[in-house]
Each structure stands twice: as C-alpha cells, then as structure tokens.
Amino acid sequence: GAGVSQSPSNKVTEKGKDVELRCDPISGHTALYWYRQSLGQGLEFLIYFQGNSAPDKSGLPSDRFSAERTGGSVSTLTIQRTQQEDSAVYLCASSFPGLGYTFGSGTRLTVV
Amino acid sequence: QKEVEQNSGPLSVPEGAIASLNCTYSDRGSQSFFWYRQYSGKSPELIMSIYSNGDKEDGRFTAQLNKASQYVSLLIRDSQPSDSATYLCAVPSSRSGGSNYKLTFGKGTLLTVNP
C-alpha cells in the first residue's frame, strides 16, 4: 500500500477486556515496529520485527501484551485484560533498509 | 544519562527567524540520526536523516551532526507558523546484523512560530 495502515483508528474498551490492534506495513518494508505514546509523553518502544528473525520484545511492558507478524506483512498487537494505564496512542511503523520509519496514523486506545 | 535527550522547550520564535533544536545521545556506536516532526494529534513524520559528520541541508532545514560530541541539531531557517509542532530526535539502538534498527526517541521539543 501507499502508506502504513492501522485499524481501528479509535478503540474504547472496558477494563479487563482484550483488544487487538492491526498494522499493515508498506509493501517491501522488512521491518515493522510498534510504539505507544501516552498523552504528553514520548514514544515508548514496544516490539520490533525484522524479516524472519526472532522479534525484539524487550519493550513490552507486561505479559498481557503480545504481537505477531504473519507472512512477513500484517502485524497484530494484542493486549489482554486491559487496564486504564494501557490507554495511549499505539503507533505502528515500517522501514526499508537504511531509511527512517514511516508511521501509521495510530490507534487511540481508551480503557474505561 | 538518558539515551536521547532534547531541550524540552517550549521554544518560541518569531516568523522568519531561525529555530535551533538540539539533541544529545549516549550510544557512541550510533551511525544514523533522524528528525521527526509531529503535529498535535498526528503521528510523527520523518523530515531529515543524517549519517555523516557535518551539515546536511534540505530546503529550509539543516541537520548538523557531531559524532565526537554526540550531538545532532536541526536548524529551521525562515520559520513559518506551519512549522509549529513537536520535533523528535531519534537514534537507533544498533543490533548486530541487518540494517533496520529500533529507534530511541527523545521526548521532543515543542516549537511555536509566532506570526
């Protein structure tokens, strides 16, 4: 596609429910990244997929968070048993070797 | 020391002035550096990348890199109100092999350009 596509753009969920966030990267980009940005805060790294290598999960804040990337393309970030502190904008980005990231428009998650 | 530090601002400049945004980083092995612009409520947008010591110019934007001092800056000449945004400095945390690295972002500097 022309850009990184994320869905949904907004998600309101009740505390304790599970949510899935989707990212469709730019075709040909081998790397895919998930970050989150809380209100007024910086970008917090979550997870990074590079080709067929094992993902770098070092930024996942707890075992309630998981992500997968199927077929080297689409990625899904899953948050189980959501908590209010999970409320943030979740940003996906992809990159081509040697170039900077292209970000999607993000998913704004609100846990009530 | 934080991995990537930026002067938090906010920075306010009059229209037509030069805005100077600064960033220091801790990883001496870093080889590439990026500046992103983020408008309020939007996602970050890549505006400059720099890989070598010295200056790199692109239109009104100039990125400056000094690896010895672990310092990278962004100058915006002839600042316009449309430049008002948060500017994020990003530096990769290198992994062995491959050329895609996860980026560590500074917290950003909020720039306001007053008409």
Side-chain angles (χ1 to χ4, degrees), chain A residues 30-66:
Chain A
T30 57
L32 185 148
Y33 314 80
W34 285 97
Y35 285 76
R36 73 177 175 181
Q37 188 172 35
S38 302
L39 188 63
Q41 300 298 309
L43 285 160
E44 177 187 4
F45 167 76
L46 297 177
I47 188 168
Y48 155 38
F49 296 90
Q50 163 56 21
N52 295 320
S53 302
D56 178 347
K57 303 179 181 180
S58 60
L60 294 178
S62 77
D63 58 8
R64 296 186 295 105
F65 288 72
S66 63

PDB file of all heavy atoms in Angstrom, chain A residues 30-66:
ATOM      1  N   THR A  30      10.872  -4.464   5.298  1.00  0.00           N
ATOM      2  CA  THR A  30      11.144  -5.717   6.004  1.00  0.00           C
ATOM      3  C   THR A  30      11.009  -5.588   7.513  1.00  0.00           C
ATOM      4  O   THR A  30      10.884  -6.582   8.206  1.00  0.00           O
ATOM      5  CB  THR A  30      12.560  -6.220   5.674  1.00  0.00           C
ATOM      6  OG1 THR A  30      13.502  -5.202   6.024  1.00  0.00           O
ATOM      7  CG2 THR A  30      12.688  -6.537   4.183  1.00  0.00           C
ATOM      8  N   ALA A  31      11.067  -4.387   8.015  1.00  0.00           N
ATOM      9  CA  ALA A  31      10.990  -4.187   9.462  1.00  0.00           C
ATOM     10  C   ALA A  31       9.672  -3.531   9.846  1.00  0.00           C
ATOM     11  O   ALA A  31       9.158  -2.668   9.131  1.00  0.00           O
ATOM     12  CB  ALA A  31      12.157  -3.339   9.943  1.00  0.00           C
ATOM     13  N   LEU A  32       9.144  -3.947  10.980  1.00  0.00           N
ATOM     14  CA  LEU A  32       7.884  -3.402  11.498  1.00  0.00           C
ATOM     15  C   LEU A  32       8.045  -3.168  12.988  1.00  0.00           C
ATOM     16  O   LEU A  32       8.624  -4.006  13.697  1.00  0.00           O
ATOM     17  CB  LEU A  32       6.737  -4.380  11.213  1.00  0.00           C
ATOM     18  CG  LEU A  32       5.320  -3.931  11.565  1.00  0.00           C
ATOM     19  CD1 LEU A  32       4.323  -4.550  10.592  1.00  0.00           C
ATOM     20  CD2 LEU A  32       4.951  -4.252  12.991  1.00  0.00           C
ATOM     21  N   TYR A  33       7.551  -2.041  13.446  1.00  0.00           N
ATOM     22  CA  TYR A  33       7.745  -1.620  14.828  1.00  0.00           C
ATOM     23  C   TYR A  33       6.406  -1.201  15.428  1.00  0.00           C
ATOM     24  O   TYR A  33       5.567  -0.613  14.747  1.00  0.00           O
ATOM     25  CB  TYR A  33       8.678  -0.406  14.900  1.00  0.00           C
ATOM     26  CG  TYR A  33       9.937  -0.501  14.066  1.00  0.00           C
ATOM     27  CD1 TYR A  33       9.917  -0.241  12.707  1.00  0.00           C
ATOM     28  CD2 TYR A  33      11.161  -0.839  14.650  1.00  0.00           C
ATOM     29  CE1 TYR A  33      11.074  -0.317  11.939  1.00  0.00           C
ATOM     30  CE2 TYR A  33      12.321  -0.910  13.894  1.00  0.00           C
ATOM     31  CZ  TYR A  33      12.266  -0.646  12.540  1.00  0.00           C
ATOM     32  OH  TYR A  33      13.420  -0.724  11.785  1.00  0.00           O
ATOM     33  N   TRP A  34       6.267  -1.467  16.712  1.00  0.00           N
ATOM     34  CA  TRP A  34       5.151  -0.927  17.487  1.00  0.00           C
ATOM     35  C   TRP A  34       5.698  -0.024  18.585  1.00  0.00           C
ATOM     36  O   TRP A  34       6.646  -0.406  19.297  1.00  0.00           O
ATOM     37  CB  TRP A  34       4.336  -2.044  18.129  1.00  0.00           C
ATOM     38  CG  TRP A  34       3.439  -2.808  17.213  1.00  0.00           C
ATOM     39  CD1 TRP A  34       3.695  -3.996  16.601  1.00  0.00           C
ATOM     40  CD2 TRP A  34       2.112  -2.440  16.826  1.00  0.00           C
ATOM     41  NE1 TRP A  34       2.614  -4.396  15.842  1.00  0.00           N
ATOM     42  CE2 TRP A  34       1.626  -3.461  15.975  1.00  0.00           C
ATOM     43  CE3 TRP A  34       1.270  -1.365  17.119  1.00  0.00           C
ATOM     44  CZ2 TRP A  34       0.344  -3.426  15.408  1.00  0.00           C
ATOM     45  CZ3 TRP A  34       0.001  -1.338  16.559  1.00  0.00           C
ATOM     46  CH2 TRP A  34      -0.449  -2.349  15.715  1.00  0.00           C
ATOM     47  N   TYR A  35       5.108   1.148  18.704  1.00  0.00           N
ATOM     48  CA  TYR A  35       5.408   2.094  19.773  1.00  0.00           C
ATOM     49  C   TYR A  35       4.076   2.512  20.391  1.00  0.00           C
ATOM     50  O   TYR A  35       3.011   2.335  19.787  1.00  0.00           O
ATOM     51  CB  TYR A  35       6.101   3.353  19.233  1.00  0.00           C
ATOM     52  CG  TYR A  35       7.553   3.174  18.861  1.00  0.00           C
ATOM     53  CD1 TYR A  35       7.909   2.523  17.683  1.00  0.00           C
ATOM     54  CD2 TYR A  35       8.569   3.663  19.680  1.00  0.00           C
ATOM     55  CE1 TYR A  35       9.244   2.367  17.343  1.00  0.00           C
ATOM     56  CE2 TYR A  35       9.911   3.500  19.332  1.00  0.00           C
ATOM     57  CZ  TYR A  35      10.230   2.857  18.174  1.00  0.00           C
ATOM     58  OH  TYR A  35      11.554   2.694  17.825  1.00  0.00           O
ATOM     59  N   ARG A  36       4.149   3.083  21.572  1.00  0.00           N
ATOM     60  CA  ARG A  36       2.965   3.739  22.103  1.00  0.00           C
ATOM     61  C   ARG A  36       3.356   5.107  22.649  1.00  0.00           C
ATOM     62  O   ARG A  36       4.507   5.337  23.038  1.00  0.00           O
ATOM     63  CB  ARG A  36       2.256   2.900  23.170  1.00  0.00           C
ATOM     64  CG  ARG A  36       2.950   2.809  24.505  1.00  0.00           C
ATOM     65  CD  ARG A  36       2.082   2.003  25.469  1.00  0.00           C
ATOM     66  NE  ARG A  36       2.782   1.807  26.738  1.00  0.00           N
ATOM     67  CZ  ARG A  36       2.266   1.128  27.759  1.00  0.00           C
ATOM     68  NH1 ARG A  36       1.055   0.580  27.664  1.00  0.00           N
ATOM     69  NH2 ARG A  36       2.958   1.001  28.874  1.00  0.00           N
ATOM     70  N   GLN A  37       2.367   5.980  22.643  1.00  0.00           N
ATOM     71  CA  GLN A  37       2.594   7.352  23.081  1.00  0.00           C
ATOM     72  C   GLN A  37       1.428   7.748  23.979  1.00  0.00           C
ATOM     73  O   GLN A  37       0.290   7.843  23.523  1.00  0.00           O
ATOM     74  CB  GLN A  37       2.700   8.292  21.880  1.00  0.00           C
ATOM     75  CG  GLN A  37       3.132   9.699  22.221  1.00  0.00           C
ATOM     76  CD  GLN A  37       3.409  10.517  20.967  1.00  0.00           C
ATOM     77  OE1 GLN A  37       2.747  10.363  19.946  1.00  0.00           O
ATOM     78  NE2 GLN A  37       4.405  11.405  21.034  1.00  0.00           N
ATOM     79  N   SER A  38       1.743   7.943  25.246  1.00  0.00           N
ATOM     80  CA  SER A  38       0.725   8.407  26.187  1.00  0.00           C
ATOM     81  C   SER A  38       0.639   9.918  26.108  1.00  0.00           C
ATOM     82  O   SER A  38       1.567  10.582  25.641  1.00  0.00           O
ATOM     83  CB  SER A  38       1.075   7.962  27.602  1.00  0.00           C
ATOM     84  OG  SER A  38       1.179   6.552  27.656  1.00  0.00           O
ATOM     85  N   LEU A  39      -0.464  10.468  26.582  1.00  0.00           N
ATOM     86  CA  LEU A  39      -0.729  11.901  26.458  1.00  0.00           C
ATOM     87  C   LEU A  39       0.434  12.706  27.009  1.00  0.00           C
ATOM     88  O   LEU A  39       0.816  12.545  28.162  1.00  0.00           O
ATOM     89  CB  LEU A  39      -2.029  12.245  27.189  1.00  0.00           C
ATOM     90  CG  LEU A  39      -2.540  13.669  26.977  1.00  0.00           C
ATOM     91  CD1 LEU A  39      -2.883  13.890  25.516  1.00  0.00           C
ATOM     92  CD2 LEU A  39      -3.753  13.924  27.861  1.00  0.00           C
ATOM     93  N   GLY A  40       1.001  13.549  26.142  1.00  0.00           N
ATOM     94  CA  GLY A  40       2.082  14.420  26.573  1.00  0.00           C
ATOM     95  C   GLY A  40       3.411  13.728  26.801  1.00  0.00           C
ATOM     96  O   GLY A  40       4.360  14.353  27.269  1.00  0.00           O
ATOM     97  N   GLN A  41       3.483  12.453  26.466  1.00  0.00           N
ATOM     98  CA  GLN A  41       4.717  11.694  26.698  1.00  0.00           C
ATOM     99  C   GLN A  41       5.433  11.376  25.384  1.00  0.00           C
ATOM    100  O   GLN A  41       4.892  11.574  24.299  1.00  0.00           O
ATOM    101  CB  GLN A  41       4.393  10.383  27.429  1.00  0.00           C
ATOM    102  CG  GLN A  41       3.730  10.583  28.765  1.00  0.00           C
ATOM    103  CD  GLN A  41       4.617  11.343  29.726  1.00  0.00           C
ATOM    104  OE1 GLN A  41       5.783  10.997  29.921  1.00  0.00           O
ATOM    105  NE2 GLN A  41       4.088  12.404  30.309  1.00  0.00           N
ATOM    106  N   GLY A  42       6.636  10.876  25.529  1.00  0.00           N
ATOM    107  CA  GLY A  42       7.413  10.496  24.356  1.00  0.00           C
ATOM    108  C   GLY A  42       6.976   9.155  23.798  1.00  0.00           C
ATOM    109  O   GLY A  42       6.046   8.518  24.291  1.00  0.00           O
ATOM    110  N   LEU A  43       7.660   8.731  22.768  1.00  0.00           N
ATOM    111  CA  LEU A  43       7.378   7.453  22.127  1.00  0.00           C
ATOM    112  C   LEU A  43       8.078   6.320  22.872  1.00  0.00           C
ATOM    113  O   LEU A  43       9.284   6.356  23.069  1.00  0.00           O
ATOM    114  CB  LEU A  43       7.867   7.489  20.678  1.00  0.00           C
ATOM    115  CG  LEU A  43       7.000   8.306  19.733  1.00  0.00           C
ATOM    116  CD1 LEU A  43       7.770   8.696  18.490  1.00  0.00           C
ATOM    117  CD2 LEU A  43       5.768   7.509  19.342  1.00  0.00           C
ATOM    118  N   GLU A  44       7.298   5.340  23.261  1.00  0.00           N
ATOM    119  CA  GLU A  44       7.816   4.197  24.012  1.00  0.00           C
ATOM    120  C   GLU A  44       7.857   2.978  23.100  1.00  0.00           C
ATOM    121  O   GLU A  44       6.826   2.543  22.583  1.00  0.00           O
ATOM    122  CB  GLU A  44       6.912   3.923  25.213  1.00  0.00           C
ATOM    123  CG  GLU A  44       7.300   2.703  26.033  1.00  0.00           C
ATOM    124  CD  GLU A  44       6.261   2.385  27.106  1.00  0.00           C
ATOM    125  OE1 GLU A  44       5.218   3.065  27.162  1.00  0.00           O
ATOM    126  OE2 GLU A  44       6.498   1.442  27.881  1.00  0.00           O
ATOM    127  N   PHE A  45       9.032   2.417  22.903  1.00  0.00           N
ATOM    128  CA  PHE A  45       9.204   1.241  22.062  1.00  0.00           C
ATOM    129  C   PHE A  45       8.526   0.032  22.691  1.00  0.00           C
ATOM    130  O   PHE A  45       8.631  -0.197  23.908  1.00  0.00           O
ATOM    131  CB  PHE A  45      10.692   0.952  21.872  1.00  0.00           C
ATOM    132  CG  PHE A  45      10.992  -0.397  21.289  1.00  0.00           C
ATOM    133  CD1 PHE A  45      10.799  -0.641  19.938  1.00  0.00           C
ATOM    134  CD2 PHE A  45      11.443  -1.430  22.094  1.00  0.00           C
ATOM    135  CE1 PHE A  45      11.068  -1.888  19.401  1.00  0.00           C
ATOM    136  CE2 PHE A  45      11.718  -2.679  21.563  1.00  0.00           C
ATOM    137  CZ  PHE A  45      11.526  -2.906  20.213  1.00  0.00           C
ATOM    138  N   LEU A  46       7.842  -0.751  21.884  1.00  0.00           N
ATOM    139  CA  LEU A  46       7.194  -1.974  22.359  1.00  0.00           C
ATOM    140  C   LEU A  46       7.845  -3.224  21.777  1.00  0.00           C
ATOM    141  O   LEU A  46       8.341  -4.075  22.507  1.00  0.00           O
ATOM    142  CB  LEU A  46       5.705  -1.954  22.022  1.00  0.00           C
ATOM    143  CG  LEU A  46       4.879  -0.846  22.665  1.00  0.00           C
ATOM    144  CD1 LEU A  46       3.438  -0.911  22.168  1.00  0.00           C
ATOM    145  CD2 LEU A  46       4.924  -0.947  24.184  1.00  0.00           C
ATOM    146  N   ILE A  47       7.820  -3.348  20.453  1.00  0.00           N
ATOM    147  CA  ILE A  47       8.310  -4.570  19.815  1.00  0.00           C
ATOM    148  C   ILE A  47       8.740  -4.278  18.386  1.00  0.00           C
ATOM    149  O   ILE A  47       8.242  -3.335  17.762  1.00  0.00           O
ATOM    150  CB  ILE A  47       7.220  -5.677  19.861  1.00  0.00           C
ATOM    151  CG1 ILE A  47       7.765  -7.028  19.376  1.00  0.00           C
ATOM    152  CG2 ILE A  47       6.003  -5.261  19.038  1.00  0.00           C
ATOM    153  CD1 ILE A  47       6.811  -8.202  19.679  1.00  0.00           C
ATOM    154  N   TYR A  48       9.654  -5.105  17.882  1.00  0.00           N
ATOM    155  CA  TYR A  48      10.250  -4.873  16.568  1.00  0.00           C
ATOM    156  C   TYR A  48      10.382  -6.213  15.847  1.00  0.00           C
ATOM    157  O   TYR A  48      10.916  -7.167  16.406  1.00  0.00           O
ATOM    158  CB  TYR A  48      11.590  -4.194  16.794  1.00  0.00           C
ATOM    159  CG  TYR A  48      12.689  -4.324  15.769  1.00  0.00           C
ATOM    160  CD1 TYR A  48      12.448  -4.317  14.409  1.00  0.00           C
ATOM    161  CD2 TYR A  48      14.022  -4.399  16.200  1.00  0.00           C
ATOM    162  CE1 TYR A  48      13.492  -4.406  13.498  1.00  0.00           C
ATOM    163  CE2 TYR A  48      15.061  -4.481  15.297  1.00  0.00           C
ATOM    164  CZ  TYR A  48      14.795  -4.482  13.949  1.00  0.00           C
ATOM    165  OH  TYR A  48      15.832  -4.564  13.054  1.00  0.00           O
ATOM    166  N   PHE A  49       9.874  -6.284  14.631  1.00  0.00           N
ATOM    167  CA  PHE A  49      10.001  -7.459  13.781  1.00  0.00           C
ATOM    168  C   PHE A  49      10.932  -7.117  12.622  1.00  0.00           C
ATOM    169  O   PHE A  49      10.779  -6.080  11.977  1.00  0.00           O
ATOM    170  CB  PHE A  49       8.640  -7.860  13.191  1.00  0.00           C
ATOM    171  CG  PHE A  49       7.622  -8.277  14.199  1.00  0.00           C
ATOM    172  CD1 PHE A  49       6.769  -7.344  14.777  1.00  0.00           C
ATOM    173  CD2 PHE A  49       7.496  -9.612  14.572  1.00  0.00           C
ATOM    174  CE1 PHE A  49       5.813  -7.729  15.703  1.00  0.00           C
ATOM    175  CE2 PHE A  49       6.538 -10.005  15.494  1.00  0.00           C
ATOM    176  CZ  PHE A  49       5.696  -9.063  16.052  1.00  0.00           C
ATOM    177  N   GLN A  50      11.878  -7.996  12.339  1.00  0.00           N
ATOM    178  CA  GLN A  50      12.781  -7.807  11.207  1.00  0.00           C
ATOM    179  C   GLN A  50      12.842  -9.114  10.422  1.00  0.00           C
ATOM    180  O   GLN A  50      13.405 -10.105  10.897  1.00  0.00           O
ATOM    181  CB  GLN A  50      14.169  -7.392  11.691  1.00  0.00           C
ATOM    182  CG  GLN A  50      15.309  -7.547  10.680  1.00  0.00           C
ATOM    183  CD  GLN A  50      15.081  -6.818   9.386  1.00  0.00           C
ATOM    184  OE1 GLN A  50      14.286  -5.887   9.324  1.00  0.00           O
ATOM    185  NE2 GLN A  50      15.750  -7.252   8.341  1.00  0.00           N
ATOM    186  N   GLY A  51      12.242  -9.109   9.248  1.00  0.00           N
ATOM    187  CA  GLY A  51      12.272 -10.281   8.386  1.00  0.00           C
ATOM    188  C   GLY A  51      11.823 -11.527   9.119  1.00  0.00           C
ATOM    189  O   GLY A  51      10.788 -11.547   9.781  1.00  0.00           O
ATOM    190  N   ASN A  52      12.615 -12.576   8.996  1.00  0.00           N
ATOM    191  CA  ASN A  52      12.292 -13.848   9.642  1.00  0.00           C
ATOM    192  C   ASN A  52      12.982 -14.027  10.992  1.00  0.00           C
ATOM    193  O   ASN A  52      12.892 -15.107  11.599  1.00  0.00           O
ATOM    194  CB  ASN A  52      12.698 -15.007   8.722  1.00  0.00           C
ATOM    195  CG  ASN A  52      11.876 -15.017   7.448  1.00  0.00           C
ATOM    196  OD1 ASN A  52      10.679 -14.760   7.482  1.00  0.00           O
ATOM    197  ND2 ASN A  52      12.527 -15.297   6.320  1.00  0.00           N
ATOM    198  N   SER A  53      13.667 -12.981  11.460  1.00  0.00           N
ATOM    199  CA  SER A  53      14.363 -13.076  12.739  1.00  0.00           C
ATOM    200  C   SER A  53      13.372 -13.079  13.899  1.00  0.00           C
ATOM    201  O   SER A  53      12.233 -12.620  13.755  1.00  0.00           O
ATOM    202  CB  SER A  53      15.331 -11.910  12.907  1.00  0.00           C
ATOM    203  OG  SER A  53      16.266 -11.875  11.859  1.00  0.00           O
ATOM    204  N   ALA A  54      13.839 -13.586  15.037  1.00  0.00           N
ATOM    205  CA  ALA A  54      13.006 -13.535  16.234  1.00  0.00           C
ATOM    206  C   ALA A  54      12.744 -12.078  16.591  1.00  0.00           C
ATOM    207  O   ALA A  54      13.646 -11.242  16.526  1.00  0.00           O
ATOM    208  CB  ALA A  54      13.714 -14.242  17.382  1.00  0.00           C
ATOM    209  N   PRO A  55      11.521 -11.733  16.947  1.00  0.00           N
ATOM    210  CA  PRO A  55      11.223 -10.329  17.264  1.00  0.00           C
ATOM    211  C   PRO A  55      11.936  -9.865  18.523  1.00  0.00           C
ATOM    212  O   PRO A  55      12.218 -10.652  19.424  1.00  0.00           O
ATOM    213  CB  PRO A  55       9.706 -10.325  17.448  1.00  0.00           C
ATOM    214  CG  PRO A  55       9.339 -11.734  17.777  1.00  0.00           C
ATOM    215  CD  PRO A  55      10.334 -12.598  17.061  1.00  0.00           C
ATOM    216  N   ASP A  56      12.205  -8.590  18.561  1.00  0.00           N
ATOM    217  CA  ASP A  56      12.749  -7.943  19.759  1.00  0.00           C
ATOM    218  C   ASP A  56      11.567  -7.476  20.595  1.00  0.00           C
ATOM    219  O   ASP A  56      10.920  -6.485  20.270  1.00  0.00           O
ATOM    220  CB  ASP A  56      13.629  -6.762  19.328  1.00  0.00           C
ATOM    221  CG  ASP A  56      14.213  -5.996  20.513  1.00  0.00           C
ATOM    222  OD1 ASP A  56      13.772  -6.203  21.665  1.00  0.00           O
ATOM    223  OD2 ASP A  56      15.100  -5.160  20.288  1.00  0.00           O
ATOM    224  N   LYS A  57      11.306  -8.214  21.677  1.00  0.00           N
ATOM    225  CA  LYS A  57      10.138  -7.941  22.510  1.00  0.00           C
ATOM    226  C   LYS A  57      10.503  -7.150  23.764  1.00  0.00           C
ATOM    227  O   LYS A  57       9.708  -7.064  24.704  1.00  0.00           O
ATOM    228  CB  LYS A  57       9.499  -9.252  22.968  1.00  0.00           C
ATOM    229  CG  LYS A  57       9.084 -10.181  21.852  1.00  0.00           C
ATOM    230  CD  LYS A  57       8.480 -11.450  22.428  1.00  0.00           C
ATOM    231  CE  LYS A  57       8.072 -12.434  21.342  1.00  0.00           C
ATOM    232  NZ  LYS A  57       7.472 -13.667  21.913  1.00  0.00           N
ATOM    233  N   SER A  58      11.696  -6.574  23.780  1.00  0.00           N
ATOM    234  CA  SER A  58      12.231  -6.017  25.018  1.00  0.00           C
ATOM    235  C   SER A  58      11.419  -4.851  25.568  1.00  0.00           C
ATOM    236  O   SER A  58      11.548  -4.501  26.738  1.00  0.00           O
ATOM    237  CB  SER A  58      13.680  -5.583  24.806  1.00  0.00           C
ATOM    238  OG  SER A  58      13.772  -4.603  23.787  1.00  0.00           O
ATOM    239  N   GLY A  59      10.570  -4.239  24.744  1.00  0.00           N
ATOM    240  CA  GLY A  59       9.806  -3.094  25.207  1.00  0.00           C
ATOM    241  C   GLY A  59       8.401  -3.415  25.692  1.00  0.00           C
ATOM    242  O   GLY A  59       7.709  -2.540  26.219  1.00  0.00           O
ATOM    243  N   LEU A  60       7.974  -4.648  25.559  1.00  0.00           N
ATOM    244  CA  LEU A  60       6.623  -4.979  26.002  1.00  0.00           C
ATOM    245  C   LEU A  60       6.529  -4.804  27.517  1.00  0.00           C
ATOM    246  O   LEU A  60       7.337  -5.380  28.254  1.00  0.00           O
ATOM    247  CB  LEU A  60       6.269  -6.406  25.603  1.00  0.00           C
ATOM    248  CG  LEU A  60       6.157  -6.672  24.103  1.00  0.00           C
ATOM    249  CD1 LEU A  60       5.839  -8.141  23.840  1.00  0.00           C
ATOM    250  CD2 LEU A  60       5.119  -5.772  23.456  1.00  0.00           C
ATOM    251  N   PRO A  61       5.544  -4.047  28.001  1.00  0.00           N
ATOM    252  CA  PRO A  61       5.514  -3.693  29.423  1.00  0.00           C
ATOM    253  C   PRO A  61       5.091  -4.822  30.353  1.00  0.00           C
ATOM    254  O   PRO A  61       5.411  -4.776  31.547  1.00  0.00           O
ATOM    255  CB  PRO A  61       4.518  -2.528  29.475  1.00  0.00           C
ATOM    256  CG  PRO A  61       3.679  -2.677  28.261  1.00  0.00           C
ATOM    257  CD  PRO A  61       4.516  -3.312  27.229  1.00  0.00           C
ATOM    258  N   SER A  62       4.364  -5.800  29.851  1.00  0.00           N
ATOM    259  CA  SER A  62       3.942  -6.906  30.698  1.00  0.00           C
ATOM    260  C   SER A  62       3.552  -8.079  29.816  1.00  0.00           C
ATOM    261  O   SER A  62       3.478  -7.944  28.585  1.00  0.00           O
ATOM    262  CB  SER A  62       2.754  -6.495  31.582  1.00  0.00           C
ATOM    263  OG  SER A  62       1.554  -6.476  30.824  1.00  0.00           O
ATOM    264  N   ASP A  63       3.304  -9.214  30.458  1.00  0.00           N
ATOM    265  CA  ASP A  63       2.926 -10.396  29.668  1.00  0.00           C
ATOM    266  C   ASP A  63       1.485 -10.309  29.160  1.00  0.00           C
ATOM    267  O   ASP A  63       1.015 -11.217  28.481  1.00  0.00           O
ATOM    268  CB  ASP A  63       3.142 -11.681  30.476  1.00  0.00           C
ATOM    269  CG  ASP A  63       2.359 -11.708  31.766  1.00  0.00           C
ATOM    270  OD1 ASP A  63       1.529 -10.799  31.985  1.00  0.00           O
ATOM    271  OD2 ASP A  63       2.561 -12.627  32.562  1.00  0.00           O
ATOM    272  N   ARG A  64       0.800  -9.219  29.458  1.00  0.00           N
ATOM    273  CA  ARG A  64      -0.533  -9.035  28.868  1.00  0.00           C
ATOM    274  C   ARG A  64      -0.425  -8.582  27.418  1.00  0.00           C
ATOM    275  O   ARG A  64      -1.408  -8.609  26.681  1.00  0.00           O
ATOM    276  CB  ARG A  64      -1.327  -7.995  29.673  1.00  0.00           C
ATOM    277  CG  ARG A  64      -1.623  -8.401  31.102  1.00  0.00           C
ATOM    278  CD  ARG A  64      -2.542  -7.392  31.796  1.00  0.00           C
ATOM    279  NE  ARG A  64      -1.919  -6.076  31.952  1.00  0.00           N
ATOM    280  CZ  ARG A  64      -2.218  -5.018  31.212  1.00  0.00           C
ATOM    281  NH1 ARG A  64      -3.126  -5.105  30.254  1.00  0.00           N
ATOM    282  NH2 ARG A  64      -1.621  -3.863  31.439  1.00  0.00           N
ATOM    283  N   PHE A  65       0.762  -8.143  27.036  1.00  0.00           N
ATOM    284  CA  PHE A  65       0.992  -7.638  25.679  1.00  0.00           C
ATOM    285  C   PHE A  65       1.673  -8.711  24.837  1.00  0.00           C
ATOM    286  O   PHE A  65       2.644  -9.339  25.280  1.00  0.00           O
ATOM    287  CB  PHE A  65       1.895  -6.399  25.708  1.00  0.00           C
ATOM    288  CG  PHE A  65       1.251  -5.157  26.250  1.00  0.00           C
ATOM    289  CD1 PHE A  65       0.982  -5.030  27.606  1.00  0.00           C
ATOM    290  CD2 PHE A  65       0.917  -4.112  25.407  1.00  0.00           C
ATOM    291  CE1 PHE A  65       0.383  -3.874  28.103  1.00  0.00           C
ATOM    292  CE2 PHE A  65       0.328  -2.955  25.893  1.00  0.00           C
ATOM    293  CZ  PHE A  65       0.064  -2.839  27.249  1.00  0.00           C
ATOM    294  N   SER A  66       1.189  -8.893  23.630  1.00  0.00           N
ATOM    295  CA  SER A  66       1.839  -9.795  22.691  1.00  0.00           C
ATOM    296  C   SER A  66       1.615  -9.267  21.290  1.00  0.00           C
ATOM    297  O   SER A  66       0.708  -8.465  21.048  1.00  0.00           O
ATOM    298  CB  SER A  66       1.295 -11.218  22.826  1.00  0.00           C
ATOM    299  OG  SER A  66      -0.086 -11.248  22.501  1.00  0.00           O
TER     300      SER A  66
END
